[in-house]
Amino acid sequence: MAFKYHIVCVCLALFIFCVTTSSIQPTKLVDEVCHSTSSYSLCVESLCTDPRTPSADRYVLAYISFRLAFLNASSTQDHIAKLLKHTEAKAKAKAKANTGPTQQVLRRCYHDYNKAVSALSSAYNDLNSETFSDLVDWAGAASLAADDCQVVVKTTYPPLSTMNLDLKRLCEICVAVSKLFT
């Protein structure tokens, strides 16, 4: 688990470096992919976090995009697990026998992110086996999991709402890259 946090920290540092570097020049492939997303600049900045991007072909770019989404989903799932553990500890301290709506919401989101992580793992399997036909579906399933979490979260946990949106945007990049294989 510590390894995941290390990777997330490295990605964040690279992201900050890319954002603060004013001369982000996307390659033709990155430009093509990012123009088919709803946020061109977010797409370029996200893909820029990986040092392989400038020389990436569509296959490597697919690995990069799905890796970013997988790391995001895993990190969010870990965050939800910590929130859930914290709320359960508070409930035990107050000697409440029943689980409140907060715990139910977090359990539901944890389950949703389990689906997202699983879908993104399946996408990796498709990439490894070079069967690209289901990549769009796997990215869509991960995005739908974030939507499902958002339905129950609503405005209860603003940071979790932001995380849901981040995963959806990363999945959108995955879909755009996946369409290069059709």
Side-chain angles (χ1 to χ4, degrees):
M1 192 179 297
F3 180 71
K4 283 185 198 175
Y5 289 114
H6 177 70
I7 289 176
V8 171
C9 290
V10 169
C11 287
L12 181 61
L14 286 170
F15 176 75
I16 291 168
F17 173 76
C18 287
V19 170
T20 58
T21 304
S22 60
S23 62
I24 297 175
Q25 294 297 321
T27 63
K28 183 178 178 181
L29 182 60
V30 169
D31 189 58
E32 176 187 341
V33 165
C34 292
H35 273 299
S36 64
T37 66
S38 62
S39 178
Y40 177 84
S41 61
L42 178 84
C43 177
V44 171
E45 290 167 1
S46 296
L47 293 175
C48 175
T49 61
D50 193 296
R52 298 173 295 169
T53 298
S55 61
D57 60 7
R58 67 185 181 150
Y59 189 64
V60 172
L61 201 60
Y63 269 107
I64 292 168
S65 63
F66 277 97
R67 180 180 150 273
L68 290 170
F70 178 83
L71 289 173
N72 176 281
S74 297
S75 175
T76 301
Q77 186 181 36
D78 290 344
H79 179 74
I80 293 167
K82 286 179 184 177
L83 288 173
L84 187 55
K85 190 173 184 177
H86 178 72
T87 60
E88 287 172 347
K90 281 177 87 173
K92 283 182 183 178
K94 292 180 179 180
K96 289 186 178 179
N98 63 340
T99 61
T102 300
Q103 290 173 318
Q104 292 171 356
V105 165
L106 292 173
R107 282 191 186 113
R108 167 74 187 271
C109 283
Y110 185 84
H111 179 70
D112 291 332
Y113 269 85
N114 204 31
K115 290 178 188 176
V117 169
S118 177
L120 294 166
S121 292
S122 294
Y124 266 113
N125 291 337
D126 277 6
L127 285 168
N128 288 333
S129 65
E130 297 185 13
T131 55
F132 310 112
S133 60
D134 292 331
L135 290 176
V136 171
D137 293 337
W138 294 127
S143 181
L144 186 59
D147 282 339
D148 290 345
C149 176
Q150 188 58 38
V151 165
V152 294
V153 168
K154 298 176 184 147
T155 59
T156 309
Y157 292 106
L160 195 49
S161 293
T162 300
M163 292 174 181
N164 289 333
L165 181 59
D166 290 345
L167 180 58
K168 287 185 59 58
R169 288 177 174 166
L170 290 170
C171 288
E172 183 183 16
I173 297 168
C174 293
V175 168
V177 172
S178 298
K179 289 182 178 178
L180 297 171
F181 296 97
T182 58

